[in-house]
Amino acid sequence: MSSFPSLPESEQQDAKYQNICNNHRHLLETLPKANGWRNRHLYNYNGFWLSPIVLKANLLLHTYFKSHPTDIFLASFMKSGTTWLKALMFSTLNRHRYNFFNHYLHKHGPQSTFPFLDAESYPITDFTTLSHPRLFATHSAHTLLPPCISSGKFVYVCRDPKDVLISKWLFMSKLRAKDLPTLSLDVAFELFCLGVSEFGPFWEHVLSYWRASLESPEKILFLKYEEVKKQPEVVVRKLAAFMGKPLTSEEDEKGVVGEIVKLCSFESLRNLEVNKKGVEKFGKLVEIEKRDFFRKGEIGDWKNYLSDEMKERIDGITDDKFRGSGLSLRETV
Ligand code: A3P
């Protein structure tokens, strides 16, 4: 038995955090790195390309995040419809709390409804004060998340990779560090096809959640942007049931589903003052102009940017990667 008294709690925490910092530094020195879209470099950590901030957040989550079985996570590859799903899930889950004429989303916008886990810094936010079920958003692949998180439920939304590429390229070009040369579409396309983009490779990201959804369909609801676009009312019903609050016949008679769909439509969200001005903070370190989350909100805008050859190449990669998985993004495009 040790004759030394154990360190006080705060010093133990500091020592843990020092270990994380040392590990982070070591990883940045040793992991394979490649060109980033926003910042100079991305690092390949357990098969996925992460920025230094996200890598650190991931190490912090593994050490400090305490999950709760009622937690609900919205997971997505960047630019797949996260903002939209935040609004749909929040308004569906809280449909008894707010009326649709004077809704929480009118004043606060969708981003505020889901703390974003991939931008946490030390000390991580005290999520114990959130009401249950707690809602969280992540862009991390399923295999990168702390194991404790699998006790919760997931909604995953994916999208045609060609639209994701264009949406991401335009979005990241705005955020790109000023000391870096412009990221041309040709270079972004090449990087995307090689899997090198924040949180990528795209295909492995999608497959990580697809496989998990096949293993535990009751835990992971797998959605496609295109299906939400085409049948938003069906999706709202699915979300309500999945989150444990199925629509009642009385709500059906009142047209509640239609109200939710209208409140969260692209036009309605984009035109809210709260989504037009100012910046959104993700954790303490990341800031993004709110209006940049609303661009066109369409299926197939890639046609205005990609050549036939580029289209064929991405579709070919998608077919190869998804072959035998039972997943197709083809029928939706
Ligand atoms: P585009 O750039 O193709 O227009 P994310 O929220 O994951 O960052 O995804 C952003 C994409 O979703 C953008 O796509 C954005 O315009 C679109 N989007 C945002 N809100 C939407 C909504 N309510 N309905 C449909 N698409 C929406």
Side-chain angles (χ1 to χ4, degrees):
M1 207 168 75
S2 164
S3 54
F4 296 105
S6 58
L7 285 171
E9 174 84 4
S10 62
E11 285 181 38
Q12 284 180 23
Q13 289 299 343
D14 286 350
K16 255 194 211 173
Y17 180 56
Q18 264 324 310
N19 274 339
I20 290 175
C21 291
N22 292 340
N23 188 17
H24 185 240
R25 207 171 308 120
H26 174 72
L27 288 170
L28 294 184
E29 282 163 10
T30 53
L31 289 175
K33 63 181 176 184
N35 286 346
W37 293 38
R38 178 177 184 174
N39 297 112
R40 193 170 295 278
H41 288 127
L42 291 173
Y43 296 82
N44 194 297
Y45 183 58
N46 293 332
F48 291 92
W49 293 99
L50 306 181
S51 70
I53 287 181
V54 171
L55 175 57
K56 180 95 165 262
N58 188 270
L59 300 176
L60 290 169
L61 290 179
H62 275 260
T63 305
Y64 297 108
F65 186 76
K66 301 267 181 295
S67 64
H68 189 277
T70 59
D71 288 343
I72 301 175
F73 301 88
L74 168 60
S76 56
F77 191 82
M78 283 180 71
K79 313 322 286 175
S80 297
T82 324
T83 310
W84 191 13
L85 261 296
K86 282 179 182 174
L88 285 169
M89 287 170 69
F90 179 82
S91 52
T92 301
L93 190 65
N94 293 292
R95 61 190 187 270
H96 308 297
R97 282 175 69 189
Y98 306 107
N99 75 53
F100 293 100
F101 307 104
N102 183 20
H103 199 274
Y104 179 93
L105 286 177
H106 290 148
K107 293 191 205 86
H108 303 280
Q111 308 300 350
S112 68
T113 56
F114 281 67
F116 179 57
L117 293 176
D118 309 311
E120 279 297 317
S121 53
Y122 183 77
I124 76 164
T125 314
D126 177 15
F127 296 117
T128 58
T129 57
L130 297 180
S131 60
H132 288 246
R134 303 183 304 176
L135 301 174
F136 296 103
T138 178
H139 286 323
S140 289
H142 192 255
T143 46
L144 285 189
L145 294 172
C148 70
I149 283 186
S150 56
S151 67
K153 283 186 164 186
F154 283 82
V155 173
Y156 183 72
V157 61
C158 69
R159 189 181 188 189
D160 178 353
K162 302 186 289 302
D163 279 332
V164 170
L165 160 65
I166 295 306
S167 182
K168 184 166 184 173
W169 171 62
L170 293 167
F171 181 77
M172 292 306 234
S173 296
K174 287 188 183 161
L175 305 181
R176 191 159 163 88
K178 298 288 169 266
D179 59 332
L180 295 178
T182 310
L183 183 70
S184 70
L185 178 55
D186 283 345
V187 171
F189 175 80
E190 208 48 53
L191 288 172
F192 191 84
C193 289
L194 293 171
V196 182
S197 79
E198 287 74 2
F199 301 99
F202 169 85
W203 298 274
E204 278 71 9
H205 193 285
V206 176
L207 285 171
S208 76
Y209 285 96
W210 174 248
R211 290 189 184 116
S213 77
L214 294 181
E215 270 170 36
S216 316
E218 71 295 348
K219 287 270 189 192
I220 303 188
L221 178 64
F222 192 94
L223 298 173
K224 297 172 184 170
Y225 179 96
E226 295 77 9
E227 117 187 56
V228 191
K229 195 90 188 162
K230 287 175 188 160
Q231 298 195 302
E233 303 217 346
V234 174
V235 169
V236 167
R237 283 174 204 286
K238 273 192 200 172
L239 287 171
F242 182 74
M243 294 189 292
K245 290 199 176 174
L247 267 294
T248 62
S249 47
E250 206 178 301
E251 287 179 307
D252 270 339
E253 274 163 34
K254 284 197 206 148
V256 169
V257 177
E259 294 286 3
I260 293 173
V261 168
K262 201 163 99 192
L263 172 73
C264 302
S265 73
F266 181 77
E267 287 306 323
S268 143
L269 289 181
R270 191 189 51 173
N271 289 325
L272 290 174
E273 275 313 301
V274 67
N275 293 328
K276 281 187 191 166
K277 288 195 206 113
V279 293
E280 196 68 56
K281 282 197 92 166
F282 295 89
K284 299 180 202 87
L285 304 172
V286 181
E287 285 190 359
I288 295 172
E289 296 273 348
K290 292 183 184 185
R291 61 168 182 258
D292 290 341
F293 288 99
F294 304 91
R295 194 184 63 89
K296 275 199 175 170
E298 287 173 4
I299 298 175
D301 188 41
W302 60 265
K303 290 179 188 135
N304 296 315
Y305 296 87
L306 300 182
S307 64
D308 289 350
E309 202 182 312
M310 287 163 136
K311 175 211 180 279
E312 290 305 322
R313 178 141 166 233
I314 294 205
D315 283 348
I317 297 172
T318 306
D319 289 347
D320 285 349
K321 297 268 188 184
F322 289 177
R323 188 164 297 123
S325 70
L327 174 63
S328 167
L329 295 184
R330 278 286 192 162
E331 79 272 20
T332 55
V333 297

